[in-house]
Amino acid sequence: MKIKSIVAGLGLCFICHSSFATTVGFAQVGSESGWRTSFSESVKAEAKKRGIELKFSDAQQKQENQIKAVRSFIAQGVDAIIIAPVVETGWTPVLKEAKRARIPVVIVDRNVQVQDESLFVTRIASDFVEEGRKAATWLMSQPQAQQQCNIIELQGTVGATAAIDRAKGFNEVLAKHPQAKIVRSQTAEFTRAKGKEVMESLLKAEQGGKSICALWAHNDEMALGAIQAIKEAGLKPGKDMLVVSVDAVPDYFKAMADGEANATVELNPHLGGPAFDVIEAYLQGKKDIEKLIRTTGDLFLQDTAAAEYEKRRLN
Ligand code: GYE
């Protein structure tokens, strides 16, 4: 199939169309959140639908594992590689290796920091800065936030675009509201277990959390863990303390329907289709592919949460 790709790349292939057997390696971050799991499932289902052979690697949130996986995809001579990077830095050497082997790489979700943009075909991702802005804009519109509003922030993985950019967007809006400020901020690595553990310690540090107006979590999974900690501290999440985050996973809709969370910005996990569309187009010779393909998502609140939960829980 390598030969077919080359022939297709030259624009000479009449039989290649969607039926040619393509092998794609997918270096995934891990399975730290419900959103991540849906994203992995989307890629697997889409590969199956299109007859693509998928080599899937779960890096358990470690970049070194991802780099190893990419090297092994290169050694196996796959036709294309999808990388959902854990962190932004440290990608140049392995991307160069892929380029040397003439294997196209598509970046999905978080970003990579490289000087040479020709090292990847495109990146398919949401605007994380905008997600942070949306979360903060909603929070700042709430009556509780009109007077002094002390916020606890649970950050995502250190060095990950989703954490860097969400914080940036949120803080940008907050800067226009001097009555609101982040009083505690710590990473909880995008997981529910860490979300609970870190929130417990931050609530202790804040004398139980009575003076906290809101929790801002960089993803629903950490918020769900933190909601547990807030309840155990004797406070009502969603009422005594507003809860806002990003992802829009089914469990979070349930929490909103139960009144224990207030808002979330949707992050589309169905990235398999767009990723394979780009790969197929590239292998068939299309070279003028945009460097950034955006996905978007709306803010969801409690009013539609029960209905959304019903719609989404089985998907
Ligand atoms: O929000 C979180 C995940 O990189 C944007 O990673 C993604 C984040 C997502 O595990 O749930």
Side-chain angles (χ1 to χ4, degrees):
M1 66 237 137
K2 255 267 91 113
I3 292 174
K4 270 194 200 161
S5 320
I6 294 163
V7 176
L10 295 171
L12 301 172
C13 191
F14 306 106
I15 50 152
C16 295
H17 209 55
S18 52
S19 63
F20 69 88
T22 307
T23 304
V24 177
F26 175 27
Q28 175 62 295
V29 167
S31 42
E32 73 284 358
S33 68
W35 180 84
R36 182 72 52 192
T37 308
S38 299
F39 167 21
S40 295
E41 279 164 9
S42 143
V43 175
K44 287 177 187 168
E46 197 62 36
K48 200 162 169 212
K49 200 166 104 191
R50 296 178 189 220
I52 291 170
E53 190 193 328
L54 186 74
K55 295 181 183 296
F56 178 83
S57 158
D58 175 326
Q60 304 187 340
Q61 301 227 67
K62 292 201 177 76
Q63 186 186 31
E64 61 208 81
N65 292 345
Q66 286 201 295
I67 291 176
K68 264 190 222 148
V70 174
R71 291 212 164 108
S72 128
F73 297 150
I74 297 171
Q76 293 172 68
V78 298
D79 297 297
I81 296 173
I82 301 172
I83 304 178
V86 179
V87 290
E88 291 191 343
T89 55
W91 288 102
T92 302
V94 78
L95 289 178
K96 279 189 175 157
E97 290 166 36
K99 193 177 178 187
R100 243 177 273 130
R102 297 181 188 282
I103 300 174
V105 173
V106 171
I107 305 294
V108 181
D109 184 35
R110 303 175 192 168
N111 206 0
V112 291
Q113 266 179 40
V114 288
Q115 292 206 321
D116 176 3
E117 291 239 306
S118 77
L119 291 176
F120 61 91
V121 176
T122 188
R123 174 174 168 234
I124 304 167
S126 154
D127 183 343
F128 304 135
V129 178
E130 187 56 25
E131 291 168 355
R133 285 191 201 114
K134 279 185 186 164
T137 304
W138 172 81
L139 182 58
M140 290 303 105
S141 73
Q142 295 310 292
Q144 293 93 318
Q146 303 318 307
Q147 265 131 51
Q148 195 187 345
C149 180
N150 293 340
I151 301 163
I152 288 183
E153 176 184 45
L154 290 180
Q155 293 219 4
T157 303
V158 176
T161 318
I164 299 166
D165 287 358
R166 284 174 184 163
K168 189 171 160 202
F170 192 91
N171 292 339
E172 193 184 293
V173 172
L174 227 59
K176 296 182 210 127
H177 298 268
Q179 83 283 11
K181 88 167 190 278
I182 294 177
V183 291
R184 302 270 167 186
S185 175
Q186 206 172 305
T187 180
E189 288 157 33
F190 281 128
T191 71
R192 196 180 293 209
K194 277 268 172 191
K196 178 164 190 282
E197 186 188 313
V198 173
M199 191 64 179
E200 274 165 8
S201 87
L202 295 183
L203 287 174
K204 271 195 200 117
E206 284 297 319
Q207 289 80 41
K210 288 214 175 57
S211 65
I212 301 299
C213 135
L215 163 69
W216 150 233
H218 289 185
N219 79 344
D220 288 349
E221 213 64 46
M222 294 188 291
L224 289 163
I227 285 170
Q228 216 37 56
I230 298 168
K231 287 204 269 189
E232 285 170 21
L235 295 171
K236 290 197 178 71
K239 296 184 184 73
D240 300 333
M241 198 185 296
L242 299 174
V243 179
V244 56
S245 73
V246 190
D247 274 359
V249 296
D251 285 359
Y252 193 87
F253 277 109
K254 174 85 173 65
M256 286 204 292
D258 293 344
E260 295 185 339
N262 305 89
T264 188
V265 183
E266 184 178 31
L267 180 69
N268 182 359
H270 305 295
L271 298 167
F276 291 128
D277 283 348
V278 167
I279 289 170
E280 288 180 346
Y282 184 90
L283 293 178
Q284 286 170 21
K286 187 169 161 54
K287 292 293 177 279
D288 57 337
I289 295 168
E290 286 169 86
K291 272 284 152 186
L292 182 60
I293 300 171
R294 279 278 182 234
T295 62
T296 54
D298 295 329
L299 180 86
F300 284 87
L301 303 172
Q302 288 179 343
D303 55 347
T304 58
E308 289 295 331
Y309 177 61
E310 280 312 312
K311 251 197 268 169
R312 293 163 186 248
R313 73 195 175 109
L314 299 174
N315 284 327

